[in-house]
Amino acid sequence: MRYAALGGGKRLRPLLVVEVAALFGRGLTETDKGSALAGAALEFIHCYSLVHDDLPAMDDDDLRRGQPTVHKAFDEATAILAGDALLTMAFDVIAEDAVHADAAVRLRLSRELARASGLGGMAGGQMLDLESENRDRTEREIRTLQAMKTGALIRYACRAGAILADAPEDDVTRMTRFGETIGLAFQLADDLLDVEATPETVGKATGKDAAAGKATLIGLLGISETRTELAQLMAEARTLLAPYGERAAALAAIAAYVADRKS
Amino acid sequence: MRYAALGGGKRLRPLLVVEVAALFGRGLTETDKGSALAGAALEFIHCYSLVHDDLPAMDDDDLRRGQPTVHKAFDEATAILAGDALLTMAFDVIAEDAVHADAAVRLRLSRELARASGLGGMAGGQMLDLESENRDRTEREIRTLQAMKTGALIRYACRAGAILADAPEDDVTRMTRFGETIGLAFQLADDLLDVEATPETVGKATGKDAAAGKATLIGLLGISETRTELAQLMAEARTLLAPYGERAAALAAIAAYVADRKS
């Protein structure tokens, strides 16, 4: 579990939780680590999904963040159980008192985390993704599966930050749209990296989607149109952050990083 | 997920939730299905653990309840994801309004479920169990791993029933001890079945523990002493139920079934 969760990574999802909470007045401080706890719970989910995704029966990856994947460093049974226990621990951590004084808010965060991660979110999206191998999918189907597989947790990160900072529901909705926007941008940037980058720069195998016959947006849209859509999404993200002015500078920087990242 | 969760099984854990809740005045009715929902959440956890346990990298079982295991009926990737999604769904269902009017109680049930299922409970016990193959374990170590692997969910079932019925904390504690008692009885009965029964009667492979070189209590204690301890546990279970008199008849019957079951 430590190897899977503490082995580096971008920490994009917890960073979003923390920065969105800070935007609405609940910054991470010496005495209030609530947003970091919620971010950790979310990162456990993300890390478990990588461990299980890398398994031989799934994507069969030997390398993750430039290091042996969990089933390579240990064994398959350990990787399955470590993933299961990380997933389960997320629901212990999100329930901690320090996340929010009101148990009803913690329960809301816990339940939304279950929905973002499960059948109607990430896990369901992974199943659709596996099924998409060597099979034609419409653009709409690919957008749906990617919104579930990748988008749901990034969307949740932004919602959770707003909810745990007691932001008004209008702002929770706006942050939800911000999360959806950069979640799709993240996926398009990922598609571009898979096509254009080398294993050395991204720390994992590339060209895997095409090799696996997976239906991707870039496969349908092409590189140029993918770049155009990415630019549109960035414009939309900036529009969504505009009402907050300079206070949203950190979130604007994260959005820009998501689109431009090299790994 | 349906194949894994709706394919039969003893439903021991949800039955315990429902009957303990009924003992404390919150029976399952047409208008109040709260205890059944909590029981379903717990059963999802139990079912996911069976799906992952049966995988080739774990116990490598082809048969479960007389039917092909999930990875045999579908494939390994589907089994991994179906297990993940069942586990995750448990934390959606336990949070449903109908489980308890007070969100703080639902959060308590959710968090205790995470702890019973995770690193310090079932999943941790499974890891210890895997590590026990072909390696000597002390009786104390075996008792600890079995209390985690099998005991934690049965203990939780009894606690959850009491908690969702707003039982006094003394009764929650008593039900916790009842759960621990029949949880150990369940494991001893399982050990006896693995040694004495046939695959035809139990619907899964037998003699697997010895074949895998797993450290079991029956391996240390022998059949006769295992039967003696089982009888002692049954006496203890009856003592724990005594204060409730006839109202605990259903729970007494479940305890007797746990010790005497033939599958």
Side-chain angles (χ1 to χ4, degrees):
Chain A
M1 291 167 73
R2 285 195 203 97
Y3 185 89
L6 303 178
K10 292 179 281 291
R11 309 303 191 201
L12 171 66
R13 293 155 195 80
L15 187 62
L16 284 168
V17 177
V18 167
E19 291 298 342
V20 171
L23 174 62
F24 295 104
R26 191 164 171 208
L28 183 58
T29 68
E30 268 304 307
T31 52
D32 182 2
K33 308 210 184 305
S35 61
L37 278 170
L42 178 55
E43 188 74 358
F44 288 170
I45 300 274
H46 174 58
C47 292
Y48 114 74
S49 78
L50 299 181
V51 175
H52 282 189
D53 257 6
D54 287 338
L55 285 167
M58 307 272 283
D59 288 350
D60 194 14
D61 274 308
D62 295 348
L63 216 56
R64 167 74 62 184
R65 296 166 184 159
Q67 300 291 324
T69 46
V70 176
H71 66 276
K72 283 285 167 187
F74 300 88
D75 56 48
E76 275 188 60
T78 304
I80 294 167
L81 283 172
D84 291 343
L86 276 171
L87 163 54
T88 308
M89 189 176 274
F91 294 97
D92 185 3
V93 170
I94 197 73
E96 284 200 24
D97 289 355
V99 169
H100 197 280
D102 184 348
V105 174
R106 301 203 297 280
L107 187 74
R108 178 183 180 188
L109 290 170
S110 177
R111 191 173 198 190
E112 289 205 9
L113 182 59
R115 293 192 166 182
S117 314
L119 181 65
M122 185 186 68
Q126 284 169 315
M127 189 72 215
L128 292 175
D129 197 30
L130 280 177
E131 283 182 341
S132 83
E133 291 181 14
N134 300 311
R135 178 172 154 179
D136 281 342
R137 290 268 180 190
T138 65
E139 183 178 334
R140 191 195 175 96
E141 285 172 328
I142 299 174
R143 285 184 187 278
T144 299
L145 91 79
Q146 293 192 340
M148 292 166 71
K149 188 189 172 196
T150 319
L153 287 199
I154 293 174
R155 176 180 186 272
Y156 174 84
C158 299
R159 279 181 72 77
I163 290 167
L164 64 83
D166 297 318
E169 281 301 317
D170 277 1
D171 289 302
V172 174
T173 302
R174 181 173 280 267
M175 284 300 111
T176 305
R177 284 178 54 207
F178 176 71
E180 289 166 353
T181 304
I182 64 170
L184 180 52
F186 183 91
Q187 187 59 51
L188 293 179
D190 217 53
D191 284 0
L192 283 165
L193 283 172
D194 191 62
V195 170
E196 300 182 327
T198 65
E200 289 68 34
T201 56
V202 293
K204 62 181 178 181
T206 57
K208 297 250 332 171
D209 292 343
K214 280 193 183 175
T216 58
L217 274 181
I218 202 167
L220 277 178
L221 304 177
I223 291 181
S224 167
E225 206 177 312
T226 299
R227 289 203 178 286
T228 304
E229 182 167 341
L230 196 50
Q232 286 166 346
L233 290 167
M234 283 305 102
E236 195 177 324
R238 282 189 296 272
T239 304
L240 286 163
L241 296 180
Y244 310 110
E246 269 310 297
R247 288 183 297 126
L251 288 176
I254 295 171
Y257 161 77
V258 159
D260 294 337
R261 70 205 167 88
K262 301 292 174 245
S263 69
Chain B
M1 291 168 73
R2 286 195 201 98
Y3 184 88
L6 303 178
K10 291 178 283 289
R11 309 304 191 202
L12 171 65
R13 294 155 195 79
L15 187 62
L16 283 168
V17 177
V18 167
E19 290 298 342
V20 171
L23 174 62
F24 295 104
R26 190 162 172 210
L28 183 60
T29 68
E30 269 305 307
T31 51
D32 181 2
K33 307 209 184 305
S35 62
L37 278 170
L42 178 55
E43 189 74 357
F44 288 171
I45 301 273
H46 175 58
C47 291
Y48 113 73
S49 78
L50 299 181
V51 175
H52 282 189
D53 258 6
D54 287 338
L55 285 166
M58 307 271 282
D59 287 350
D60 194 15
D61 274 309
D62 296 348
L63 214 58
R64 165 74 61 185
R65 297 167 183 158
Q67 301 291 325
T69 46
V70 176
H71 66 275
K72 284 285 167 186
F74 300 87
D75 57 48
E76 275 188 61
T78 304
I80 294 166
L81 283 172
D84 291 344
L86 275 170
L87 163 54
T88 309
M89 190 176 275
F91 294 96
D92 184 4
V93 171
I94 196 73
E96 283 198 25
D97 289 355
V99 169
H100 196 281
D102 183 349
V105 174
R106 301 203 297 280
L107 186 74
R108 179 183 180 188
L109 291 170
S110 176
R111 191 173 198 191
E112 288 205 10
L113 182 59
R115 293 191 166 183
S117 312
L119 180 65
M122 186 186 68
Q126 284 169 316
M127 189 71 215
L128 292 175
D129 197 30
L130 279 176
E131 284 183 330
S132 83
E133 290 181 15
N134 300 312
R135 177 172 154 180
D136 280 342
R137 290 268 180 190
T138 65
E139 183 180 334
R140 192 194 174 98
E141 285 172 329
I142 298 173
R143 286 184 187 275
T144 300
L145 91 79
Q146 293 192 338
M148 293 166 70
K149 187 189 173 196
T150 319
L153 288 199
I154 294 174
R155 177 181 185 271
Y156 174 84
C158 298
R159 279 180 72 78
I163 290 167
L164 65 82
D166 296 319
E169 281 302 316
D170 277 1
D171 289 303
V172 174
T173 303
R174 180 173 282 265
M175 283 300 111
T176 305
R177 284 178 56 208
F178 176 72
E180 288 166 353
T181 304
I182 65 170
L184 179 53
F186 184 91
Q187 186 59 52
L188 293 179
D190 217 53
D191 285 0
L192 284 165
L193 282 171
D194 191 61
V195 170
E196 299 182 328
T198 65
E200 289 67 34
T201 56
V202 294
K204 62 182 178 182
T206 56
K208 298 252 326 174
D209 292 342
K214 281 195 182 172
T216 57
L217 274 181
I218 203 167
L220 277 178
L221 304 176
I223 291 181
S224 167
E225 207 178 312
T226 299
R227 291 205 176 284
T228 304
E229 181 166 342
L230 195 49
Q232 286 166 347
L233 290 168
M234 283 304 102
E236 196 178 322
R238 282 190 296 273
T239 304
L240 286 164
L241 296 179
Y244 310 111
E246 269 309 297
R247 288 183 294 127
L251 288 175
I254 295 171
Y257 162 77
V258 160
D260 294 337
R261 70 206 168 87
K262 301 291 174 247
S263 68

